[in-house]
mmCIF file with all atom_site columns, all heavy atoms in Angstrom:
data_model
loop_
_atom_site.group_PDB
_atom_site.id
_atom_site.type_symbol
_atom_site.label_atom_id
_atom_site.label_alt_id
_atom_site.label_comp_id
_atom_site.label_asym_id
_atom_site.label_entity_id
_atom_site.label_seq_id
_atom_site.pdbx_PDB_ins_code
_atom_site.Cartn_x
_atom_site.Cartn_y
_atom_site.Cartn_z
_atom_site.occupancy
_atom_site.B_iso_or_equiv
_atom_site.pdbx_formal_charge
_atom_site.auth_seq_id
_atom_site.auth_comp_id
_atom_site.auth_asym_id
_atom_site.auth_atom_id
_atom_site.pdbx_PDB_model_num
ATOM 1   N N   . VAL A 1 150 ? -75.997 23.916 109.523 1.00 0.00 ? 161 VAL A N   1
ATOM 2   C CA  . VAL A 1 150 ? -74.762 24.701 109.412 1.00 0.00 ? 161 VAL A CA  1
ATOM 3   C C   . VAL A 1 150 ? -75.107 26.147 109.047 1.00 0.00 ? 161 VAL A C   1
ATOM 4   O O   . VAL A 1 150 ? -74.549 27.100 109.612 1.00 0.00 ? 161 VAL A O   1
ATOM 5   C CB  . VAL A 1 150 ? -73.807 24.061 108.361 1.00 0.00 ? 161 VAL A CB  1
ATOM 6   C CG1 . VAL A 1 150 ? -72.631 24.981 108.054 1.00 0.00 ? 161 VAL A CG1 1
ATOM 7   C CG2 . VAL A 1 150 ? -73.294 22.706 108.848 1.00 0.00 ? 161 VAL A CG2 1
ATOM 8   N N   . LYS A 1 151 ? -76.057 26.296 108.133 1.00 0.00 ? 162 LYS A N   1
ATOM 9   C CA  . LYS A 1 151 ? -76.489 27.639 107.729 1.00 0.00 ? 162 LYS A CA  1
ATOM 10  C C   . LYS A 1 151 ? -77.038 28.421 108.922 1.00 0.00 ? 162 LYS A C   1
ATOM 11  O O   . LYS A 1 151 ? -76.672 29.571 109.153 1.00 0.00 ? 162 LYS A O   1
ATOM 12  C CB  . LYS A 1 151 ? -77.599 27.507 106.683 1.00 0.00 ? 162 LYS A CB  1
ATOM 13  C CG  . LYS A 1 151 ? -77.224 28.093 105.334 1.00 0.00 ? 162 LYS A CG  1
ATOM 14  C CD  . LYS A 1 151 ? -78.412 28.016 104.392 1.00 0.00 ? 162 LYS A CD  1
ATOM 15  C CE  . LYS A 1 151 ? -77.996 27.332 103.112 1.00 0.00 ? 162 LYS A CE  1
ATOM 16  N NZ  . LYS A 1 151 ? -79.104 26.886 102.297 1.00 0.00 ? 162 LYS A NZ  1
ATOM 17  N N   . ALA A 1 152 ? -77.913 27.766 109.687 1.00 0.00 ? 163 ALA A N   1
ATOM 18  C CA  . ALA A 1 152 ? -78.533 28.440 110.840 1.00 0.00 ? 163 ALA A CA  1
ATOM 19  C C   . ALA A 1 152 ? -77.472 28.820 111.871 1.00 0.00 ? 163 ALA A C   1
ATOM 20  O O   . ALA A 1 152 ? -77.492 29.922 112.426 1.00 0.00 ? 163 ALA A O   1
ATOM 21  C CB  . ALA A 1 152 ? -79.587 27.530 111.463 1.00 0.00 ? 163 ALA A CB  1
ATOM 22  N N   . LEU A 1 153 ? -76.534 27.927 112.106 1.00 0.00 ? 164 LEU A N   1
ATOM 23  C CA  . LEU A 1 153 ? -75.473 28.215 113.070 1.00 0.00 ? 164 LEU A CA  1
ATOM 24  C C   . LEU A 1 153 ? -74.569 29.340 112.570 1.00 0.00 ? 164 LEU A C   1
ATOM 25  O O   . LEU A 1 153 ? -74.175 30.222 113.335 1.00 0.00 ? 164 LEU A O   1
ATOM 26  C CB  . LEU A 1 153 ? -74.658 26.949 113.349 1.00 0.00 ? 164 LEU A CB  1
ATOM 27  C CG  . LEU A 1 153 ? -75.289 25.990 114.363 1.00 0.00 ? 164 LEU A CG  1
ATOM 28  C CD1 . LEU A 1 153 ? -74.587 24.640 114.345 1.00 0.00 ? 164 LEU A CD1 1
ATOM 29  C CD2 . LEU A 1 153 ? -75.242 26.590 115.772 1.00 0.00 ? 164 LEU A CD2 1
ATOM 30  N N   . GLY A 1 154 ? -74.269 29.304 111.265 1.00 0.00 ? 165 GLY A N   1
ATOM 31  C CA  . GLY A 1 154 ? -73.435 30.350 110.653 1.00 0.00 ? 165 GLY A CA  1
ATOM 32  C C   . GLY A 1 154 ? -74.071 31.719 110.838 1.00 0.00 ? 165 GLY A C   1
ATOM 33  O O   . GLY A 1 154 ? -73.395 32.701 111.186 1.00 0.00 ? 165 GLY A O   1
ATOM 34  N N   . THR A 1 155 ? -75.379 31.782 110.635 1.00 0.00 ? 166 THR A N   1
ATOM 35  C CA  . THR A 1 155 ? -76.094 33.052 110.805 1.00 0.00 ? 166 THR A CA  1
ATOM 36  C C   . THR A 1 155 ? -76.015 33.522 112.251 1.00 0.00 ? 166 THR A C   1
ATOM 37  O O   . THR A 1 155 ? -75.796 34.708 112.522 1.00 0.00 ? 166 THR A O   1
ATOM 38  C CB  . THR A 1 155 ? -77.574 32.873 110.371 1.00 0.00 ? 166 THR A CB  1
ATOM 39  O OG1 . THR A 1 155 ? -77.571 32.336 109.049 1.00 0.00 ? 166 THR A OG1 1
ATOM 40  C CG2 . THR A 1 155 ? -78.331 34.180 110.395 1.00 0.00 ? 166 THR A CG2 1
ATOM 41  N N   . LYS A 1 156 ? -76.157 32.588 113.185 1.00 0.00 ? 167 LYS A N   1
ATOM 42  C CA  . LYS A 1 156 ? -76.091 32.958 114.606 1.00 0.00 ? 167 LYS A CA  1
ATOM 43  C C   . LYS A 1 156 ? -74.704 33.459 114.993 1.00 0.00 ? 167 LYS A C   1
ATOM 44  O O   . LYS A 1 156 ? -74.570 34.380 115.799 1.00 0.00 ? 167 LYS A O   1
ATOM 45  C CB  . LYS A 1 156 ? -76.490 31.772 115.490 1.00 0.00 ? 167 LYS A CB  1
ATOM 46  C CG  . LYS A 1 156 ? -77.982 31.519 115.462 1.00 0.00 ? 167 LYS A CG  1
ATOM 47  C CD  . LYS A 1 156 ? -78.405 30.454 116.444 1.00 0.00 ? 167 LYS A CD  1
ATOM 48  C CE  . LYS A 1 156 ? -79.896 30.210 116.316 1.00 0.00 ? 167 LYS A CE  1
ATOM 49  N NZ  . LYS A 1 156 ? -80.344 29.078 117.140 1.00 0.00 ? 167 LYS A NZ  1
ATOM 50  N N   . VAL A 1 157 ? -73.678 32.854 114.405 1.00 0.00 ? 168 VAL A N   1
ATOM 51  C CA  . VAL A 1 157 ? -72.307 33.305 114.683 1.00 0.00 ? 168 VAL A CA  1
ATOM 52  C C   . VAL A 1 157 ? -72.133 34.710 114.129 1.00 0.00 ? 168 VAL A C   1
ATOM 53  O O   . VAL A 1 157 ? -71.638 35.611 114.818 1.00 0.00 ? 168 VAL A O   1
ATOM 54  C CB  . VAL A 1 157 ? -71.266 32.323 114.071 1.00 0.00 ? 168 VAL A CB  1
ATOM 55  C CG1 . VAL A 1 157 ? -69.868 32.940 114.088 1.00 0.00 ? 168 VAL A CG1 1
ATOM 56  C CG2 . VAL A 1 157 ? -71.264 30.995 114.830 1.00 0.00 ? 168 VAL A CG2 1
ATOM 57  N N   . LYS A 1 158 ? -72.602 34.903 112.889 1.00 0.00 ? 169 LYS A N   1
ATOM 58  C CA  . LYS A 1 158 ? -72.464 36.214 112.237 1.00 0.00 ? 169 LYS A CA  1
ATOM 59  C C   . LYS A 1 158 ? -73.154 37.305 113.050 1.00 0.00 ? 169 LYS A C   1
ATOM 60  O O   . LYS A 1 158 ? -72.648 38.413 113.177 1.00 0.00 ? 169 LYS A O   1
ATOM 61  C CB  . LYS A 1 158 ? -73.078 36.131 110.836 1.00 0.00 ? 169 LYS A CB  1
ATOM 62  C CG  . LYS A 1 158 ? -72.779 37.329 109.962 1.00 0.00 ? 169 LYS A CG  1
ATOM 63  C CD  . LYS A 1 158 ? -73.306 37.125 108.561 1.00 0.00 ? 169 LYS A CD  1
ATOM 64  C CE  . LYS A 1 158 ? -74.172 38.300 108.172 1.00 0.00 ? 169 LYS A CE  1
ATOM 65  N NZ  . LYS A 1 158 ? -75.061 37.982 107.068 1.00 0.00 ? 169 LYS A NZ  1
ATOM 66  N N   . ASN A 1 159 ? -74.285 36.977 113.614 1.00 0.00 ? 170 ASN A N   1
ATOM 67  C CA  . ASN A 1 159 ? -75.037 37.970 114.389 1.00 0.00 ? 170 ASN A CA  1
ATOM 68  C C   . ASN A 1 159 ? -74.666 37.979 115.872 1.00 0.00 ? 170 ASN A C   1
ATOM 69  O O   . ASN A 1 159 ? -75.398 38.523 116.701 1.00 0.00 ? 170 ASN A O   1
ATOM 70  C CB  . ASN A 1 159 ? -76.546 37.730 114.223 1.00 0.00 ? 170 ASN A CB  1
ATOM 71  C CG  . ASN A 1 159 ? -76.981 37.917 112.781 1.00 0.00 ? 170 ASN A CG  1
ATOM 72  O OD1 . ASN A 1 159 ? -76.377 38.690 112.043 1.00 0.00 ? 170 ASN A OD1 1
ATOM 73  N ND2 . ASN A 1 159 ? -78.005 37.199 112.361 1.00 0.00 ? 170 ASN A ND2 1
ATOM 74  N N   . SER A 1 160 ? -73.558 37.339 116.187 1.00 0.00 ? 171 SER A N   1
ATOM 75  C CA  . SER A 1 160 ? -73.038 37.281 117.566 1.00 0.00 ? 171 SER A CA  1
ATOM 76  C C   . SER A 1 160 ? -74.034 36.717 118.579 1.00 0.00 ? 171 SER A C   1
ATOM 77  O O   . SER A 1 160 ? -74.011 37.078 119.756 1.00 0.00 ? 171 SER A O   1
ATOM 78  C CB  . SER A 1 160 ? -72.571 38.668 118.033 1.00 0.00 ? 171 SER A CB  1
ATOM 79  O OG  . SER A 1 160 ? -71.647 39.180 117.117 1.00 0.00 ? 171 SER A OG  1
ATOM 80  N N   . ILE A 1 161 ? -74.892 35.811 118.120 1.00 0.00 ? 172 ILE A N   1
ATOM 81  C CA  . ILE A 1 161 ? -75.836 35.166 119.046 1.00 0.00 ? 172 ILE A CA  1
ATOM 82  C C   . ILE A 1 161 ? -75.117 34.008 119.730 1.00 0.00 ? 172 ILE A C   1
ATOM 83  O O   . ILE A 1 161 ? -75.418 33.639 120.861 1.00 0.00 ? 172 ILE A O   1
ATOM 84  C CB  . ILE A 1 161 ? -77.098 34.686 118.285 1.00 0.00 ? 172 ILE A CB  1
ATOM 85  C CG1 . ILE A 1 161 ? -77.852 35.910 117.739 1.00 0.00 ? 172 ILE A CG1 1
ATOM 86  C CG2 . ILE A 1 161 ? -78.017 33.829 119.148 1.00 0.00 ? 172 ILE A CG2 1
ATOM 87  C CD1 . ILE A 1 161 ? -78.918 35.578 116.737 1.00 0.00 ? 172 ILE A CD1 1
ATOM 88  N N   . ILE A 1 162 ? -74.160 33.439 119.032 1.00 0.00 ? 173 ILE A N   1
ATOM 89  C CA  . ILE A 1 162 ? -73.385 32.324 119.598 1.00 0.00 ? 173 ILE A CA  1
ATOM 90  C C   . ILE A 1 162 ? -71.925 32.491 119.167 1.00 0.00 ? 173 ILE A C   1
ATOM 91  O O   . ILE A 1 162 ? -71.657 32.969 118.061 1.00 0.00 ? 173 ILE A O   1
ATOM 92  C CB  . ILE A 1 162 ? -73.990 30.970 119.141 1.00 0.00 ? 173 ILE A CB  1
ATOM 93  C CG1 . ILE A 1 162 ? -73.322 29.814 119.881 1.00 0.00 ? 173 ILE A CG1 1
ATOM 94  C CG2 . ILE A 1 162 ? -73.878 30.759 117.644 1.00 0.00 ? 173 ILE A CG2 1
ATOM 95  C CD1 . ILE A 1 162 ? -74.003 28.487 119.635 1.00 0.00 ? 173 ILE A CD1 1
ATOM 96  N N   . SER A 1 163 ? -70.998 32.124 120.051 1.00 0.00 ? 174 SER A N   1
ATOM 97  C CA  . SER A 1 163 ? -69.593 32.203 119.620 1.00 0.00 ? 174 SER A CA  1
ATOM 98  C C   . SER A 1 163 ? -69.167 30.828 119.119 1.00 0.00 ? 174 SER A C   1
ATOM 99  O O   . SER A 1 163 ? -69.597 29.812 119.659 1.00 0.00 ? 174 SER A O   1
ATOM 100 C CB  . SER A 1 163 ? -68.712 32.674 120.778 1.00 0.00 ? 174 SER A CB  1
ATOM 101 O OG  . SER A 1 163 ? -68.677 31.697 121.777 1.00 0.00 ? 174 SER A OG  1
ATOM 102 N N   . PRO A 1 164 ? -68.300 30.785 118.107 1.00 0.00 ? 175 PRO A N   1
ATOM 103 C CA  . PRO A 1 164 ? -67.925 29.498 117.494 1.00 0.00 ? 175 PRO A CA  1
ATOM 104 C C   . PRO A 1 164 ? -67.399 28.490 118.510 1.00 0.00 ? 175 PRO A C   1
ATOM 105 O O   . PRO A 1 164 ? -67.655 27.289 118.389 1.00 0.00 ? 175 PRO A O   1
ATOM 106 C CB  . PRO A 1 164 ? -66.831 29.873 116.502 1.00 0.00 ? 175 PRO A CB  1
ATOM 107 C CG  . PRO A 1 164 ? -66.981 31.324 116.254 1.00 0.00 ? 175 PRO A CG  1
ATOM 108 C CD  . PRO A 1 164 ? -67.648 31.922 117.448 1.00 0.00 ? 175 PRO A CD  1
#
Side-chain angles (χ1 to χ4, degrees):
V161 170
K162 243 184 233 164
L164 279 167
T166 306
K167 286 186 183 174
V168 168
K169 191 175 127 200
N170 297 331
S171 306
I172 295 167
I173 188 171
S174 67

